[in-house]
Amino acid sequence: MKKIALNDIHHSLNAKMVPFAGFNMPVSYEGVNIEHETVRKDVGVFDVSHMGEFLISGEHALELIQKISSNDASKLIDGKAQYSCMPNEDGGIVDDLIIYRMNEEKYILVVNASNIEKDWNWIAQHNTMDATMKDLSDEFSLLAIQGPKAADAMQSLTDVNLKELKFYTFEVAEFAGVKNVIISATGYTGSGGFEIYFKNEDAETIWNKVFEAGADFGIKPIGLAARDTLRLEMGYCLYGNDIDDTTSPLEAGLGWITKFTKDFVNADALAKQKEEGPKRKLIAFELDERGIPRQGYDIVDAEGNVIGNVTSGTMSPSLDKGIGMGYIPTEMAKANDKIYIQIRKKAVPATLVKLPFYKG
């Protein structure tokens, strides 16, 4: 089991620690509902240092990234980030990721913790142009400082104007007295904020200063359980649940990051799928009655026939109702707005809705 740099601090805060993607990670501190509300109303800090970071550099860096990613990274400029995914050759997704352009010949790819080795091998396999690759995952820590008060709470720690940092842009600057910190206006919660990348040796210093600066703003540490409820309320896909090696980006509603203006792995097959229309699609639903839809539960029609399964589900802390996502045949999603979730012996009615669930 790997330990993140702040492992001892989380233990000192009485965090509930669980194994996740090979790391010992804080899943909760006070409880998921309290932590969820903190991020929606104030500001919370997630330690997500288990995520992977790859440095791709050299004159062929962009060429490699364009080959393995679905989005068009040539549109990036220095200081801009882009959400993308890596299609496999069978119509599925190797992983989703964020691409940061540091300069014309230097990019950082941020990948999911559970896929670090798989992603590295996949990219290396396609590196026929000899771009320079370096795995930085074990060197860096990552904090997500999220919530509507994040900019005000953190402004005293940096000269970067945090309120003017646009969504999916970043700066490399001094933060909490530490130089060369990546301050990125990204996150997984839908409540605004930043993600900051820095060397492991600076983790404790930065953590302490972040909490000192945020003390008057109600800042709290937040675990992975609340990260999951927050992202689900926004309808953000989670790799391993809503997207995986068997789901295409088009089925998952990720056509907006799948650009056929360039060549990339499996582009021809995905272009054909776009033309013909995917046979199934990821839908979002809200339960009409009390209940909690869980991952793996069957989705059934009015006659009780299984038509799909829930990929992510929870009791939404913000909406106080059961919400979820799952795959069903495309024609059934078009035909009506009612489905049923098989919760134990009862088929609970649910209504198809447009994302996000949480409108802010």
Side-chain angles (χ1 to χ4, degrees), residues 16-30:
K16 181 182 178 184
M17 306 292 285
V18 298
F20 183 82
F23 293 82
N24 196 32
M25 297 297 295
V27 69
S28 65
Y29 300 84
E30 292 182 83

Side-chain angles (χ1 to χ4, degrees), residues 79-151:
K80 193 93 171 69
Q82 182 185 76
Y83 179 61
S84 190
C85 76
M86 293 188 286
N88 63 26
E89 282 154 353
D90 303 313
I93 298 171
V94 177
D95 202 4
D96 61 339
L97 72 161
I98 296 180
I99 300 166
Y100 289 85
R101 174 167 153 152
M102 314 305 286
N103 61 47
E104 191 178 0
E105 294 190 358
K106 186 178 176 184
Y107 298 80
I108 291 177
L109 312 186
V110 180
V111 302
N112 285 298
S114 55
N115 291 335
I116 291 172
E117 185 178 356
K118 179 178 89 165
D119 291 355
W120 177 266
N121 292 339
W122 179 259
I123 297 168
Q125 176 187 326
H126 290 88
N127 187 17
T128 55
M129 60 290 295
D130 290 327
T132 302
M133 296 174 58
K134 185 178 181 185
D135 186 354
L136 306 175
S137 306
D138 290 338
E139 299 174 29
F140 277 81
S141 290
L142 168 58
L143 297 181
I145 305 166
Q146 299 282 292
K149 296 181 182 176

Side-chain angles (χ1 to χ4, degrees), residues 4 35 62 69 97 191 253 272 277 295 325 345 352:
I4 50 179
E35 293 169 34
L62 179 60
S69 65
L97 72 161
S191 283
K272 185 181 178 188
Q295 181 190 17
M325 299 195 294
K345 293 182 179 179
L352 300 188

